Amino acid sequence: MATLAVDKERLAISRLYARFGFGPRPGEFAESLSRGLQSTQQSFLVKPDLALIQSQLKVPDVEDIGPRPPAGSTASNEYSTRLRNQNRELALWWLDQMATTDFMLNEKMAWFWHGHWATSIDKVKFALPMYDQNQRLRTHALGNFATMSQEMFLDGALQIWLDGQDNTAKAPNENLAREFMELFTLGVGRYTEEDVKALSRIFTGYVVARTSGALTFAPRRHDSSPVTLLGSTRSFRAAEAVEYLVDRQDCAKFISERIWYRFFSESKPLPQSFAGQGFEDRNIDELVSTFINSPYLSEADLPMVKSPVEWCIAICRAFGLVPSQFSNPQTLLNHLSKMAQVPFLPPSVGGWPAGGAWLTSASAQFRLNFSQYLIKSIDLAQLREVPRADRINYLKDLLGIYQLSPRTEDALRAVVDEPARLILLLVNSPEYVVGA
Amino acid sequence: MDTLSRRLFLKLTATASVVGGAQVLSLDEIASAAITRPLPENTPILVVLTLYGGNDGLNTVIPYKDGLYYSLRPDISYPQEKVLPLSDGLGLNPSLVGIKSLWDKKKVAIFRGVGYPNPSQSHFSSMAIWQSGQNNYQLRSGWLGRWVDTQKFDPLLAINLGSVLPPLLVGEKRSGSVLPLGGYIKPVGSLVRDCSRLSLASPTDSPLAAQAASSLRDLLTVSAELSPILSSPTPAPLELPTINGGNAGGDNQLSQQLDLVSKLINAGAPTRVWTTSLGGFDTHANEADAQAALLSNVDKSITRFFSQLSQSTRGKDVTLLIYSEFGRRVVANASAGTDHGTSGPVFVIGDNIKGGFYGDQPSLKSLVKDNLAVTTDFRDIYASLIEGILKTPATAILGGWKGRVKSLLYKQ
């Protein structure tokens, strides 16, 4: 592989915006270049003010809509419409947050955790429990992982998703217990099948109200007999078991692995130097800070593919588009759906794929169509005012792109007179779809 | 997601074959292979259609001469005069006119009361059982994936239409491949020139950026030699209704999937197993219209599929299997729909199939906890397909299963 001149500072800043944010807003990238990497890193890591984040959030129109009225009635049809509208509203609401937030890292981490505790409205059905889960993920996005894990265990949507209420003393269901160790806290191979059985008995006894996600504990359904979990034999309460799992060194390693996988490389293994460092107290902000301040931020050969949501939101931020304000926002969701990534609809409890998964010919085609749709909403006047010779560099900085190959520069120069075509090609270029 | 589907899922992600990755095929690859190393003439081909959501078997193959059918389902039964009569007091859903005509030509085998012991009424669990081909949680792979394991490695041997590899094609050692739909629609106008510039190989590309470039290039490089295969015959797309019948997985573009399969089969693709799907059968509410529309989609899509196949010598080699993860409850629920049930009919269609009914019709008199009894084990059908169509010993693939379809399935 030939290389272009290396500019570590630009590379690191480009990665900060693309990976630890949702892409720069107009002017932000150039401003970061001028004040330097260190200052940019610091501004990403400013401790978020949760009250301020919440105060800036719109409140989506989701509420407990209760049980379905008798079929065939007008009320039943209205109920279906309301359910559908709430679910659509919720997805657009979150896309709006991503596209407009001032707290990029916090929102990006909420998105990361959504893929980690991946729960789908496909099975949960109701918007309210999904919204509550989303707020939980946002509140603890950079908080303490032990606290987050306790709250997520008691999360109604997650309990519904993983059949928590089918897990009773009489008939244990291993679903939640298994995922809790395998996908949420420890990682595969760091527990035995006996531990899965033990944990599922500890987790028995919870009942969820489907439409609200409200969780209650029913002692009669709970199995309180002593079990052996990862070498410790006692009568665990669920909260004690969660604490016990999160305390393990394997948990620090696992969460570090997941952050590495989503922010640095889906194919290269976690470097030894990160095996839990910075996560001694299970503080997520400290762990993320360790990654952001590491030399890997500017190390070559760690490209990452923008997932469809990340790609779409980065374009929205650069051009000031707000998803819910598109003339028919459902079309935007349809495009995301074709690209196989809609918020609140992960394909499975393992979250979305990464890397080359998004680079099929089918996705290239859907991406082209999607960008044609997005560009219709972009005000091109500003780009027209930029002298032709400067347009490519202007867009590079606007979108926070590290570098362009001579191949892409050539393709862009050929259409530099036509702003819409220029943007279309740039956002579909290998250098934009795959961040350096 | 239950234990088994989770296992299958992990296996999928571990082999990086969920959407994309090494095992995603381009049409180029398949079409080139069809030209350079076509499937030998007369090789049997299996096409699988999975109906996701739990198709209501009792309103698919209808016991229209049984008074109990009408008394148990007063609101969602089909009147006798609308049912397409077969024999034994059974008839097809009025939407299935194409299948009726194939039945009349003795090309349709209908297995009645198909399921497995202690049926699960969870979509995830039951679909995992059907797709893995076992119900004891011993195997972590799909039945056709394990067949792929027994064959000489060829990524084109078993292909799923759609962007995600379904569990049934996941093997213990290897897996089938996926062919995303729609990847072959070429950009038009100035975009062609623009994209060909943008997708040139560049020595500065990282491996992922190179993959991004080649994915864009693949859109443009369906060569002159291959275009005719993919573009002809080009009947207008079927205008089929879209249905919101729940969301338990499955694709919604069945006719496009089958169009592509028939073209590639006719072209000689070296593929012995194709898998397709249609979602939306989870008809908990207002079932009659939704199921009729879905079955009509199935019927029109497969009618066209067989008619396109009949244009080549390959048509006679193709056998189509249609199944769903479970049937539905006998008595309708309060929403003019049905809740999850147990057994249902399975269709096996093809020129080589001995048409007729197989297995006993579950009695409406002796329900098991409000559900139809299971009279035929699905693994018997799998075993007969693996041995009869794929010409491979089935017992090991099916975890030691020894049952077989009792009467002869194939024409001599």
Side-chain angles (χ1 to χ4, degrees):
Chain A
M1 184 172 121
T3 46
L4 300 164
V6 178
D7 179 349
K8 284 202 163 199
E9 180 114 342
R10 188 177 172 102
L11 176 59
I13 291 172
S14 172
R15 282 183 182 166
L16 270 178
Y17 277 102
R19 300 181 188 185
F20 293 92
F22 283 102
R25 288 183 291 197
E28 282 183 340
F29 186 70
E31 195 252 343
S32 280
L33 286 177
S34 68
R35 69 190 161 97
L37 174 60
Q38 217 180 353
S39 157
T40 308
Q41 279 165 322
Q42 279 162 8
S43 60
F44 266 78
L45 288 168
V46 168
K47 191 113 182 147
D49 178 343
L50 290 173
L52 188 58
I53 292 179
Q54 288 301 328
S55 73
Q56 290 191 3
L57 279 179
K58 280 191 315 183
V59 179
D61 177 24
V62 293
E63 54 184 3
D64 184 352
I65 62 172
R68 181 179 281 280
S73 60
T74 321
S76 169
N77 291 338
E78 281 167 3
Y79 183 92
S80 300
T81 309
R82 239 176 112 202
L83 189 61
R84 215 166 31 242
N85 288 347
Q86 283 202 8
N87 294 359
R88 182 183 58 218
E89 164 104 359
L90 185 66
L92 287 167
W93 167 80
W94 195 7
L95 291 171
D96 278 6
Q97 305 318 315
M98 297 176 195
T100 59
T101 184
D102 292 333
F103 306 94
M104 266 197 292
L105 179 63
N106 202 75
E107 202 60 33
K108 191 56 173 280
M109 289 305 294
W111 173 242
F112 166 80
W113 291 119
H114 176 46
H116 183 85
W117 303 91
T119 305
S120 174
I121 200 167
D122 198 28
K123 179 167 168 183
V124 174
K125 301 283 184 220
F126 296 94
L128 182 59
M130 295 300 293
Y131 170 68
D132 287 342
Q133 182 187 85
N134 187 257
Q135 285 287 45
R136 218 156 265 144
L137 296 176
R138 182 170 294 98
T139 301
H140 300 289
L142 287 165
N144 185 276
F145 185 70
T147 314
M148 170 186 264
S149 299
Q150 294 291 358
E151 290 221 0
M152 286 306 292
F153 172 72
L154 298 173
D155 180 80
L158 190 77
Q159 287 275 347
I160 294 167
W161 172 236
L162 296 175
D163 306 320
Q165 70 172 353
D166 296 336
N167 183 26
T168 61
K170 259 190 198 156
N173 180 314
E174 297 175 0
N175 203 358
L176 178 59
R178 184 182 296 274
E179 309 307 4
F180 214 88
M181 290 193 284
E182 183 157 335
L183 294 172
F184 303 154
T185 57
L186 299 180
V188 70
R190 292 169 181 157
Y191 55 86
T192 66
E193 287 301 308
E194 295 311 307
D195 294 319
V196 173
K197 290 197 173 67
L199 188 61
S200 54
R201 288 167 69 180
I202 297 168
F203 281 178
T204 50
Y206 288 88
V207 181
V208 200
R210 284 202 68 112
T211 57
S212 68
L215 199 70
T216 44
F217 182 66
R220 284 193 305 131
R221 297 161 69 102
H222 177 65
D223 182 347
S224 59
S225 48
V227 295
T228 303
L229 179 65
L230 292 156
S232 172
T233 306
R234 53 186 150 127
S235 174
F236 286 91
R237 283 182 300 136
E240 289 166 347
V242 171
E243 185 184 352
Y244 176 64
L245 294 175
V246 171
D247 268 351
R248 296 178 72 83
Q249 176 56 24
D250 278 342
C251 174
K253 180 145 195 269
F254 178 61
I255 299 303
S256 304
E257 286 165 351
R258 297 315 294 167
I259 289 185
W260 174 261
Y261 177 84
R262 292 288 178 194
F263 291 89
F264 287 90
S265 175
E266 96 290 354
S267 56
K268 294 191 174 138
L270 176 76
Q272 268 302 305
S273 57
F274 287 117
Q277 278 74 359
F279 206 38
E280 290 81 1
D281 300 326
R282 302 298 181 262
N283 288 327
I284 301 161
D285 58 343
E286 287 168 15
L287 179 63
V288 171
S289 159
T290 306
F291 278 101
I292 284 184
N293 289 317
S294 79
Y296 292 98
L297 191 66
S298 57
E299 183 168 303
D301 300 336
L302 292 172
M304 288 223 90
V305 181
K306 289 185 179 72
S307 78
V309 163
E310 291 162 357
W311 175 86
C312 155
I313 294 298
I315 295 170
C316 288
R317 286 181 75 89
F319 294 100
L321 309 179
V322 180
S324 67
Q325 289 170 18
F326 279 73
S327 59
N328 182 3
Q330 179 63 47
T331 310
L332 186 138
L333 294 178
N334 294 348
H335 279 290
L336 281 175
S337 173
K338 283 208 157 176
M339 296 195 69
Q341 190 175 48
V342 180
F344 301 105
L345 270 170
S348 76
V349 64
W352 284 279
W358 304 117
L359 300 176
T360 64
S361 288
S363 47
Q365 177 185 318
F366 295 140
R367 199 180 286 113
L368 275 175
N369 294 344
F370 194 0
S371 39
Q372 285 169 324
Y373 163 81
L374 290 172
I375 287 166
K376 281 188 214 150
S377 298
I378 294 177
D379 177 9
L380 299 168
Q382 211 162 353
L383 184 56
R384 282 205 183 89
E385 282 167 25
V386 177
R388 279 167 204 187
D390 300 339
R391 282 181 186 172
I392 295 174
N393 280 333
Y394 167 85
L395 286 173
K396 255 173 80 182
D397 280 0
L398 185 74
L399 291 159
I401 296 170
Y402 171 49
Q403 339 180 272
L404 296 173
S405 64
R407 172 259 335 266
T408 299
E409 296 247 10
D410 286 348
L412 296 177
R413 263 196 298 275
V415 299
V416 80
D417 290 344
E418 296 170 65
R421 250 170 112 185
L422 183 59
I423 294 169
L424 180 76
L425 290 198
L426 189 52
V427 298
N428 285 285
S429 67
E431 293 89 334
Y432 189 66
V433 173
V434 180
Chain B
M1 199 185 258
D2 75 338
T3 311
L4 185 60
S5 37
R6 188 202 50 83
R7 277 282 147 217
L8 293 171
F9 152 75
L10 282 176
K11 185 111 177 123
L12 289 173
T13 45
T15 53
S17 47
V18 177
V19 203
Q23 318 216 12
V24 172
L25 301 171
S26 71
L27 272 156
D28 273 16
E29 282 171 85
I30 305 173
S32 310
I35 291 162
T36 56
R37 51 183 188 95
L39 194 69
E41 290 284 342
N42 306 316
T43 308
I45 296 165
L46 178 64
V47 180
V48 177
L49 165 55
T50 303
L51 307 179
Y52 281 84
N55 175 40
D56 185 6
L58 212 48
N59 274 357
T60 304
V61 178
I62 301 169
Y64 69 100
K65 290 194 175 162
D66 188 338
L68 273 176
Y69 166 69
Y70 294 98
S71 56
L72 290 168
R73 293 191 151 191
D75 298 329
I76 57 162
S77 50
Y78 283 91
Q80 191 160 343
E81 64 275 14
K82 288 205 173 157
V83 171
L84 310 173
L86 303 175
S87 64
D88 298 13
L90 298 171
L92 286 173
N93 184 291
S95 296
L96 298 175
V97 285
I99 293 181
K100 171 67 164 66
S101 131
L102 291 167
W103 168 273
D104 292 340
K105 293 175 191 148
K106 309 267 185 280
K107 293 180 178 182
V108 180
I110 297 177
F111 293 82
R112 300 179 289 199
V114 187
Y116 50 89
N118 304 317
S120 165
Q121 292 177 40
S122 143
H123 293 293
F124 293 109
S125 304
S126 198
M127 195 53 100
I129 288 167
W130 276 86
Q131 297 211 4
S132 65
Q134 46 104 42
N135 70 341
N136 53 12
Y137 290 65
Q138 297 297 309
L139 299 167
R140 315 194 310 198
S141 50
W143 67 287
L144 288 168
R146 291 193 299 278
W147 172 76
V148 170
D149 282 341
T150 66
Q151 303 295 303
K152 187 164 162 284
F153 179 65
D154 178 353
L156 272 58
L157 198 56
I159 297 177
N160 180 63
L161 274 287
S163 48
V164 178
L165 189 64
L168 82 166
L169 282 186
V170 178
E172 295 283 329
K173 294 178 284 186
R174 299 188 288 261
S175 292
S177 301
V178 297
L179 175 62
L181 268 190
Y184 66 101
I185 300 166
K186 296 169 83 170
V188 292
S190 63
L191 203 51
V192 178
R193 198 173 57 244
D194 290 351
C195 287
S196 50
R197 286 200 193 100
L198 195 60
S199 62
L200 291 172
S202 165
T204 59
D205 278 344
S206 63
L208 283 173
Q211 197 183 336
S214 72
S215 68
L216 193 53
R217 202 156 59 232
D218 284 349
L219 278 181
L220 308 165
T221 53
V222 180
S223 72
E225 192 179 15
L226 307 176
S227 295
I229 293 174
L230 301 175
S231 57
S232 93
T234 48
L238 286 176
E239 282 188 25
L240 295 168
T242 49
I243 302 301
N244 284 320
N247 262 317
D251 215 309
N252 58 7
Q253 300 167 299
L254 179 61
S255 112
Q256 290 93 322
Q257 295 172 51
L258 287 175
D259 274 353
L260 203 48
V261 172
S262 64
K263 280 177 197 171
L264 292 166
I265 288 176
N266 284 345
T271 303
R272 292 176 65 192
V273 172
W274 300 89
T275 62
T276 62
S277 69
L278 179 65
F281 287 87
D282 196 16
T283 48
H284 284 280
N286 305 319
E287 171 176 309
D289 294 346
Q291 195 209 14
L294 287 162
L295 290 180
S296 170
N297 185 340
V298 170
D299 191 74
K300 293 192 167 106
S301 301
I302 69 176
T303 301
R304 179 153 95 164
F305 176 65
F306 279 110
S307 124
Q308 286 176 273
L309 286 175
S310 68
Q311 295 163 13
S312 87
T313 56
R314 304 269 179 187
K316 63 179 181 10
D317 303 328
V318 174
T319 299
L320 173 68
L321 164 72
I322 308 175
Y323 75 98
S324 190
E325 73 264 38
F326 43 62
R328 306 192 75 80
R329 205 72 48 82
V330 174
V331 178
N333 64 22
S335 320
T338 48
D339 293 320
H340 301 176
T342 51
S343 68
V346 164
F347 290 75
V348 177
I349 306 175
D351 283 1
N352 284 318
I353 295 303
K354 199 171 124 250
F357 285 118
Y358 293 76
D360 296 327
Q361 177 70 11
S363 158
L364 291 176
K365 273 197 213 87
S366 40
L367 300 178
V368 183
K369 292 183 193 158
D370 301 334
N371 273 307
L372 296 172
V374 173
T375 59
T376 305
D377 196 288
F378 74 108
R379 288 161 289 190
D380 291 1
I381 305 172
Y382 284 3
S384 296
L385 293 171
I386 293 169
E387 290 173 347
I389 309 287
L390 301 176
K391 311 291 184 196
T392 308
T395 306
I397 290 175
L398 294 174
W401 187 257
K402 297 205 168 60
R404 299 293 185 270
V405 174
K406 284 189 183 68
S407 50
L408 189 65
L409 178 60
Y410 306 101
K411 287 176 187 159
Q412 292 290 349

